[in-house]
Amino acid sequence: MIRKLEGRTWKFGDNINTDLMIPSFALAEPEEKQPKYCFSANRPGWVDLVKPGDILVAGNNFGTGSSRPGAKVLKSLGIICLLAESINGLFLRNCVNYGLPALPCPGVFSSFNEGDIASVQLEEGKVVNLNSGRVLATTALPNMLLEILAAGGIVPLLEGKGLLDKAR
Amino acid sequence: MSSGMTMSEKILARHSQRKEVRTGDLVECDISAAVVLEIDFSLFPWPRKVWDPDRVWLVADHAIPAPTITVANDLVRLRQFARKAGIKNLIDVGRHGISHVTLSERGAILPGEILANDDSHTAAVGALNCAGRGMGALDMLYILCIGRTWFPVGPTVRFIVDGKMPPGVYARDIIHYVAGKYGAFPNHNVEWFGSAIQEMDMSGRFTIATMCAEISADFALFECDETTLNYLKKRPQHPFEPVAPDADAKYKATYHIDVSNLEPQIALPDSVPNNIKTISEVKGIKIDQAYIGSCANSRLEDIKVAAEIVRGHEIAPWVRFIITPGSQATYLEAVEAGYVATLVRGGAVVTNSTCGACFGGSMGLIGEGETCISAGTRNFKGRMGSLNSRIFLGSPAVVAASAIKGEIADPRDI
Ligand code: SF4
């Protein structure tokens, strides 16, 4: 079971791509430094404002681009959930795999002003804007994906099954 | 009675051991082959045991030979892992190439199969009637352990491309035209039919399938025909079974395209979908660099087009013209055919085969305020270097013509 997720929202538009989350030049930096470049091209300064427990609300095709681990960067910045009109297929995989709850939710973009508090019930596919009281019902994620999310992502899941080497 | 299935649906049904799959299903499929790139081994803990070492290909392609210590260390781990897991299919420096190019050259994946690869341009193998889709590093970890993964079944659309390709116009222009006119197809499969596709060589089909990643498609499938089988004949094979769409397959939409009057199509900087102009609208824009390479356009046919345009000309003195063959095998063929000599004589740089400039990786970066005309895959802001640079995309013919003129140029004018 995944607990009910609640947090302050940040809004992003359509087609937010993975190069914006991890610019090419940041790939050369050590992993722990990469998050500070997140959205530096489209929203400089945002990484200093985002707080652990925040939620992203976005437009269509969020996460288009490459397989670089943008979901991991968002998670390490403390984002607890991604809600978007639609989510790029590869990016949704990455979110689930890194244990970042992500839900495609048509109508979400116009239902939130930035800063509104969102409450998300993943198993039911229910999203509520606690400021306006508006309720959005969307399709819940399939069980297979909820299980990976509940385990905390792929690594804990495989670890639990004893399939990973402890030390290299 | 239910209706028939598209090629994408048939492959997913076959590999999930189901009679049928439908849009909206989530299916768990066995994987025919898995590609893991050098960078992954620093991203995740290692599996205790690999599900089937003979189906795994370890590929060093993004920036090799190693330009930095980080990459050198990734390569150390790649080789260590190959030894530990007993994986013979190690594509390392000297026999290397971009995974999407070199795997098809080696017959690693065949029609009707599913390829998993931790790279967003994996749809490229759709040219071979094989379902490939970009994955993340952790998907690959799961597959290395278990040999299976999940796919949501998206709706399928089809493009029927008819007409005779005019001179100076290539497969690259078709996919740009589609991206300009119809935009992106996120979470959709796209399938390609029509007389212009039937007449297209494998190189052109690979270009289109690869660029389907830029319109955010999932699978991008072509039928397996004579051209496909002739291509495969020259390579090692194992038994395979192609898929064709059912006569009553349900496509969400069908788009008809006539290429007879198509002009070269150029993607303007920063994105491909809904961002295309014809060459006549953009020619004359001054360039600093011209690049032919990447999994979209680095095959022998692409290098040949460039060499034929450059023959007897000089590259404009202010332009760096970089050509990166997609694999060592292609590189050798280009040398033997004399294309490399022609290009170098004209003032171009023919580099070692790697992703390289395509993602601003190991070489060929562009600086502040510079403009590049590229046959690479992507034109995202900063993709090839400075955030204040511009990348226009066009066919190898457009790139070669532009390199000579020093500005975006129409290959039909050379
Ligand atoms: S050539 Fe470019 S698009 Fe293709 S795999 Fe390499 S970096 Fe990615």
Side-chain angles (χ1 to χ4, degrees):
Chain A
M1 260 290 279
I2 298 156
R3 67 194 163 81
K4 194 164 89 180
L5 302 160
E6 222 173 87
R8 172 178 70 148
T9 55
W10 291 100
K11 280 184 80 177
F12 285 82
D14 291 338
N15 297 309
I16 298 296
N17 69 56
T18 51
D19 283 45
L20 294 173
M21 296 174 220
I22 313 178
S24 289
F25 65 84
L27 283 176
E29 301 254 349
E31 216 181 292
E32 57 291 354
K33 292 221 174 113
Q34 289 175 4
K36 75 167 190 240
Y37 303 108
C38 183
F39 298 141
S40 54
N42 56 329
R43 203 157 171 185
W46 178 77
V47 287
D48 301 321
L49 301 173
V50 65
K51 293 231 165 54
D54 287 351
I55 289 179
L56 289 192
V57 169
N60 281 302
N61 199 20
F62 189 91
T64 183
S66 66
S67 57
R68 56 184 74 169
K72 192 177 172 184
V73 161
L74 296 181
K75 205 179 170 189
S76 67
L77 288 169
I79 298 295
I80 54 163
C81 184
L82 162 68
L83 304 169
E85 292 292 321
S86 67
I87 300 176
N88 176 274
L90 172 55
F91 196 76
L92 178 64
R93 299 190 83 92
N94 277 328
C95 289
V96 172
N97 291 344
Y98 285 104
L100 173 67
L103 192 66
C105 182
V108 74
F109 189 79
S110 59
S111 304
F112 281 85
N113 293 316
E114 188 161 278
D116 286 354
I117 306 295
S119 163
V120 185
Q121 278 148 287
L122 220 51
E123 273 101 348
E124 287 89 63
K126 192 169 145 195
V127 175
V128 185
N129 180 333
L130 295 183
N131 293 66
S132 68
R134 182 141 183 206
V135 180
L136 292 157
T138 183
T139 317
L141 292 180
N143 281 333
M144 207 186 299
L145 308 197
L146 288 172
E147 274 163 36
I148 302 173
L149 283 173
I154 287 284
V155 171
L157 182 83
L158 293 173
E159 243 159 23
K161 292 181 195 281
L163 295 174
L164 299 183
D165 262 356
K166 275 273 167 299
R168 279 201 192 128
Chain B
M1 264 284 293
S2 61
S3 60
M5 289 188 285
T6 67
M7 292 190 276
S8 313
E9 290 163 350
K10 277 179 137 174
I11 295 185
L12 291 175
R14 178 188 292 172
H15 290 268
S16 60
Q17 293 80 38
R18 293 184 183 207
K19 263 219 209 47
E20 58 169 38
V21 303
R22 293 290 161 213
T23 300
D25 288 351
L26 187 89
V27 294
E28 201 186 345
C29 293
D30 54 60
I31 296 298
S32 314
V35 175
V36 194
L37 303 176
E38 70 268 33
I39 189 165
D40 292 335
F41 295 96
S42 50
L43 294 181
F44 55 52
W46 290 5
R48 192 159 276 175
K49 192 170 157 294
V50 167
W51 113 94
D52 184 349
D54 292 339
R55 287 176 187 268
V56 176
W57 293 75
L58 302 179
V59 182
D61 67 358
H62 270 61
I64 56 159
T68 64
I69 292 177
T70 310
V71 176
N73 288 339
D74 285 341
L75 293 172
V76 167
R77 279 189 286 267
L78 180 82
R79 294 170 195 128
Q80 276 171 354
F81 183 75
R83 274 196 301 277
K84 172 191 176 285
I87 293 167
K88 295 188 297 289
N89 304 317
L90 171 66
I91 298 184
D92 203 348
V93 179
R95 307 260 182 285
H96 60 278
I98 302 169
S99 73
H100 312 299
V101 176
T102 193
L103 252 75
S104 29
E105 285 173 354
R106 290 164 200 249
I109 21 118
L110 297 172
E113 298 188 335
I114 296 188
L115 174 72
N117 180 345
D118 176 16
D119 186 275
S120 48
H121 289 87
T122 304
V125 294
L128 283 171
N129 192 247
C130 170
R133 193 188 286 190
M135 306 237 159
L138 292 181
D139 288 304
M140 298 318 299
L141 178 61
Y142 188 87
I143 291 165
L144 284 177
C145 291
I146 294 173
R148 298 175 71 79
T149 193
W150 53 273
F151 295 105
V153 183
T156 310
V157 302
R158 71 180 152 184
F159 292 96
I160 301 182
V161 189
D162 287 315
K164 202 169 157 22
M165 292 286 278
V169 176
Y170 299 86
R172 180 79 190 216
D173 300 305
I174 297 179
I175 183 67
H176 278 190
Y177 174 79
V178 163
K181 176 144 189 199
Y182 303 106
F185 290 85
N187 306 335
H188 285 61
N189 306 306
V190 293
E191 300 189 354
W192 297 84
F193 305 93
S195 60
I197 301 292
Q198 279 158 11
E199 274 164 40
M200 190 178 284
D201 59 16
M202 285 310 294
S203 169
R205 296 180 192 183
F206 277 118
T207 298
I208 291 181
T210 306
M211 289 303 291
C212 282
E214 296 323 302
I215 54 171
S216 292
D218 281 350
F219 298 125
L221 285 167
F222 289 68
E223 285 186 288
C224 177
D225 62 7
E226 276 305 300
T227 307
T228 326
L229 295 174
N230 281 335
Y231 175 90
L232 292 172
K233 239 186 243 154
K234 295 178 236 147
R235 312 168 198 276
Q237 290 175 27
H238 47 266
F240 63 92
E241 202 189 323
V243 291
D246 289 326
D248 58 345
K250 200 166 160 259
Y251 288 93
K252 184 180 164 195
T254 300
Y255 303 96
H256 291 271
I257 293 156
D258 186 346
V259 294
S260 312
N261 295 313
L262 195 66
E263 273 201 84
Q265 307 280 314
I266 310 298
L268 307 185
D270 301 343
S271 89
V272 175
N274 304 118
N275 198 28
I276 305 284
K277 290 226 152 103
T278 61
I279 187 80
S280 27
E281 296 170 281
V282 291
K283 68 181 180 187
I285 294 176
K286 266 261 201 278
I287 59 161
D288 303 285
Q289 180 164 304
Y291 168 64
I292 296 176
S294 88
C295 43
N297 279 104
S298 63
R299 294 179 178 78
L300 191 66
E301 291 79 355
D302 301 315
I303 299 166
K304 179 176 180 211
V305 166
E308 280 169 356
I309 289 173
V310 168
R311 185 167 297 133
H313 290 94
E314 291 266 320
I315 307 308
W318 61 90
V319 171
R320 292 107 51 186
F321 185 17
I322 299 172
I323 298 116
T324 301
S327 71
Q328 286 283 88
T330 298
Y331 191 109
L332 180 59
E333 285 179 294
V335 168
E336 285 174 348
Y339 304 149
V340 173
T342 303
L343 290 164
V344 172
R345 204 171 288 127
V349 180
V350 182
T351 78
N352 138 67
S353 58
T354 176
C355 294
C358 172
F359 78 113
S362 48
M363 60 177 163
L365 277 71
I366 47 179
E368 203 95 339
E370 289 199 311
T371 299
C372 180
I373 177 81
S374 164
T377 54
R378 293 213 151 123
N379 56 354
F380 293 163
K381 205 177 260 317
R383 169 83 177 176
M384 296 179 75
S386 164
L387 282 174
N388 296 316
S389 59
R390 300 190 299 171
I391 307 167
F392 291 83
L393 301 176
S395 72
V398 166
V399 174
S402 307
I404 293 167
K405 287 215 162 173
E407 57 187 39
I408 296 180
D410 189 333
R412 300 169 301 181
D413 294 343
I414 302 275

